[in-house]
């Protein structure tokens, strides 16, 4: 029997026979799962790791939230979908723009295509910043935990989401924001029975707490209970992440920052280079807008290749690539990055000017992401893929391929 399928960004996806769920656990460094499983906090996950499919996959660069969420729902890298960061620099106006608007999206989503083919689709995201991108041209349910009290059938495909879930509206900086996403997913499966669901959490816990800590284990234990419930309801589930997470501190636990704008002002003259940190978004309290990735716009008289070598020789810098090389290696849209892409090492973050970062909100030693050191993420499914190629470079954006094409 021929099963129906949709074609999206050059890949084919079968319409599901059972509810298919992809979960993006924001900031899920693989060690969070390993530690929680080892300490007995994730009995469902322990079982799935034994009977299902699991690999360490690569996320896309920069290892930030928006580019990776969009890669997961388009099945393609940023070169295809266009979302190169949480923010974008517009050289024409000299301003930084949020990339929350679907006008920046250059590719259709798998979610919209499945809905177009007649599937019931539901999307729940923790922060509202992702909602419009994930829900682009989607006929179905799409709302955020952050604004679950404001849903309407016309805008979000569902009235009264808050009452449906039955939890209090969570604070945007809380573990409860992510729990709300899981609780909503379980409620939706029991009520409107979507055939395809995408759940995307927030990395509030991961920014503060290391793998194996009591707080992290409690978070993963919570998640485990909801995932088990989704499986009992008959769902095929893939769990992946938008990026990993690492400590970014010196020995005294202070943030280990290279202030790139200050350095380039010193080398080239004040304000001649423009350092852009695409981790920046309206929710910076927990990371002070410090991550391990930056892009730099340069005036035409500066030799980008020479500057790349000079910068690349600095301690703490992992790699510096000129635009074309960065676009090729990191699958980025060349027209949405600067003349240089700068990636810092595992325990180092990149800032612009020291005076521009408010670190007063950091109440725990800095943990962040953005670099190659946060590229490894879990990709796990509660179904066994026979002859899984463990040597292949799996990506987080293979998650829908797994649940739709390889769930058996
Ligand atoms: Zn994230």
């Amino acid at each position: 029997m021929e099963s129906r399928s949709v074609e999206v960004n050059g890949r084919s996806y079968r319409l599901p026979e059972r509810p298919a769920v992809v979960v993006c656990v924001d900031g899920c460094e693989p060690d969070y799962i390993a530690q929680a499983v080892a300490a007995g906090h994730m009995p469902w996950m322990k079982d799935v790791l034994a009977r299902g499919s699991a690999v360490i996959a690569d996320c896309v660069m920069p290892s930030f939230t928006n580019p990776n969420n969009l890669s997961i729902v388009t099945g393609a890298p940023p070169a295809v979908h266009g979302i190169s960061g949480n923010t974008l620099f517009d050289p024409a106006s000299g301003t930084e723009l949020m990339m929350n608007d679907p006008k920046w999206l250059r590719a259709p989503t798998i979610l919209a295509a499945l809905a177009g083919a007649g599937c019931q689709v539901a999307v729940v995201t923790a922060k509202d910043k992702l909602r419009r991108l994930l829900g682009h041209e989607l006929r179905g349910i799409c709302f955020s935990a952050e604004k679950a009290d404001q849903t309407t059938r016309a805008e979000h495909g569902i009235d009264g989401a808050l009452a449906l879930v039955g939890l209090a509206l969570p604070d945007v900086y809380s573990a409860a924001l992510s729990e709300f996403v899981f609780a909503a997913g379980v409620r939706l499966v029991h009520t409107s029975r979507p055939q395809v669901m995408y759940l995307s959490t927030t990395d509030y816990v991961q920014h503060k707490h290391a793998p194996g800590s009591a707080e992290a284990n409690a978070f993963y234990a919570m998640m485990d209970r909801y995932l088990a419930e989704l499986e009992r309801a008959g769902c095929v589930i893939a769990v992946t992440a938008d990026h990993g997470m690492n400590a970014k501190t010196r020995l005294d636990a202070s943030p280990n920052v290279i202030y790139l704008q200050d350095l380039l002002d010193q080398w080239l003259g004040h304000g001649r280079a423009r350092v852009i940190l695409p981790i920046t978004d309206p929710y910076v309290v927990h990371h002070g807008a410090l991550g391990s990735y930056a892009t730099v716009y340069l005036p035409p008289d500066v030799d980008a290749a020479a500057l790349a070598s000079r910068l690349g020789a600095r301690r703490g810098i992992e790699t510096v690539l000129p635009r074309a090389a960065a676009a090729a290696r990191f699958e980025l849209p060349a027209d949405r990055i600067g003349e240089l892409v700068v990636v810092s090492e595992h325990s180092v973050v990149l800032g612009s000017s020291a005076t521009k970062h408010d670190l007063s909100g950091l109440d725990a030693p800095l943990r962040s992401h953005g670099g190659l050191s946060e590229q490894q993420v879990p990709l796990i499914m509660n179904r066994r893929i026979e002859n899984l190629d463990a040597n292949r470079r799996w990506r987080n954006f293979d998650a829908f391929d797994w649940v739709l094409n390889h769930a058996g």
Side-chain angles (χ1 to χ4, degrees):
M1 194 178 72
E2 185 96 348
S3 60
R4 292 178 61 217
S5 63
V6 292
E7 187 92 5
V8 189
N9 302 318
R11 303 176 74 171
S12 176
Y13 300 92
R14 286 208 295 260
L15 271 52
E17 286 157 23
R18 285 173 289 280
V21 183
V22 170
V23 182
C24 175
V25 184
D26 198 321
C28 186
E29 183 70 24
D31 201 31
Y32 282 108
I33 289 178
Q35 296 288 336
V37 166
H41 297 288
M42 299 189 86
W44 178 83
M45 182 61 76
K46 183 178 181 179
D47 183 46
V48 164
L49 293 174
R51 68 177 154 88
S53 308
V55 296
I56 303 284
D58 276 352
C59 76
V60 302
M61 286 289 287
S63 51
F64 292 145
T65 300
N66 287 18
N68 276 284
N69 269 273
L70 271 297
S71 281
I72 294 167
V73 301
T74 59
V80 173
H81 63 64
I83 304 300
S84 52
N86 300 341
T87 56
L88 170 77
F89 181 60
D90 174 30
S93 64
T95 54
E96 277 180 69
L97 307 166
M98 296 301 302
M99 280 191 117
N100 294 351
D101 195 301
K103 72 179 180 189
W104 301 111
L105 199 53
R106 290 173 166 164
T109 70
I110 301 163
L111 301 166
L114 289 167
C119 289
Q120 297 233 48
V121 177
V123 176
V124 187
T125 166
K127 293 178 184 173
D128 205 61
K129 69 170 181 179
L130 265 170
R131 181 181 57 83
R132 285 200 302 144
L133 285 172
L134 296 176
H136 184 51
E137 298 196 335
L138 170 64
R139 276 189 289 105
I141 294 169
C142 182
F143 65 93
S144 70
E146 181 183 354
K147 297 195 174 167
D149 58 336
Q150 298 168 28
T151 67
T152 61
R153 187 163 292 274
E155 171 77 14
H156 309 87
I158 187 168
D159 283 318
L162 188 64
L164 174 81
V165 177
L167 296 175
L169 189 71
D171 187 87
V172 72
Y173 295 109
S174 70
L177 195 72
S178 293
E179 174 159 11
F180 192 97
V181 172
F182 290 117
V186 167
R187 285 295 290 154
L188 286 170
V189 163
H190 287 307
T191 52
S192 52
R193 301 272 324 155
Q195 291 158 281
V196 178
M197 193 157 65
Y198 182 62
L199 305 176
S200 183
T201 68
T202 172
D203 54 10
Y204 171 83
V205 167
Q206 291 80 359
H207 267 292
K208 279 186 187 303
H209 304 291
S213 62
E215 294 85 350
N217 283 342
F219 180 87
Y220 283 85
M222 173 276 291
M223 183 171 113
D224 201 70
R225 292 191 293 272
Y226 285 105
L227 293 173
E229 207 169 330
L230 287 173
E231 175 153 37
R232 279 196 296 275
C235 298
V236 174
I237 306 164
V239 176
T240 190
D242 54 348
H243 52 78
M245 186 73 73
N246 281 302
K248 303 286 181 182
T249 53
R250 295 195 176 86
L251 289 170
D252 65 359
S254 63
N256 195 355
V257 192
I258 295 173
Y259 289 105
L260 210 48
Q261 185 70 54
D262 291 341
L263 184 65
L264 294 177
D265 283 354
Q266 205 183 313
W267 286 359
L268 305 173
H270 185 79
R272 298 204 65 233
R274 174 83 180 238
V275 172
I276 303 298
L277 307 172
I279 192 174
T280 310
D281 70 19
Y283 319 78
V284 298
V285 173
H286 51 318
H287 54 64
L290 295 166
S292 295
Y293 174 98
T295 185
V296 183
Y297 286 80
L298 297 170
D301 63 305
V302 173
D303 181 341
L307 185 62
S309 316
R310 188 177 178 193
L311 205 49
R314 299 283 293 196
R315 288 285 292 173
I317 299 292
E318 179 159 348
T319 188
V320 184
L321 295 173
R323 174 183 282 135
R329 176 166 171 200
F330 299 143
E331 310 153 291
L332 288 164
D335 61 330
R336 291 183 175 176
I337 55 174
E339 275 69 31
L340 299 180
V341 161
V342 186
V343 178
S344 59
E345 285 178 353
H346 182 277
S347 62
V348 180
V349 283
L350 300 167
S352 72
S353 297
T355 53
K356 281 194 182 163
H357 292 270
D358 177 10
L359 305 183
S360 63
L362 288 178
D363 56 5
L366 181 66
R367 302 176 54 76
S368 196
H369 53 96
L372 288 161
S373 44
E374 290 78 37
Q375 199 172 20
Q376 297 204 324
V377 292
L379 178 59
I380 300 161
M381 181 168 69
N382 64 342
R383 289 286 192 283
R384 187 167 203 88
I385 300 176
E386 295 304 330
N387 307 315
L388 180 75
D389 182 0
N391 205 37
R392 171 172 155 177
R393 187 194 187 199
W394 291 101
R395 310 301 300 269
N396 58 352
F397 61 79
D398 292 320
F400 275 102
D401 177 54
W402 277 29
V403 293
L404 295 172
N405 297 334
H406 299 287

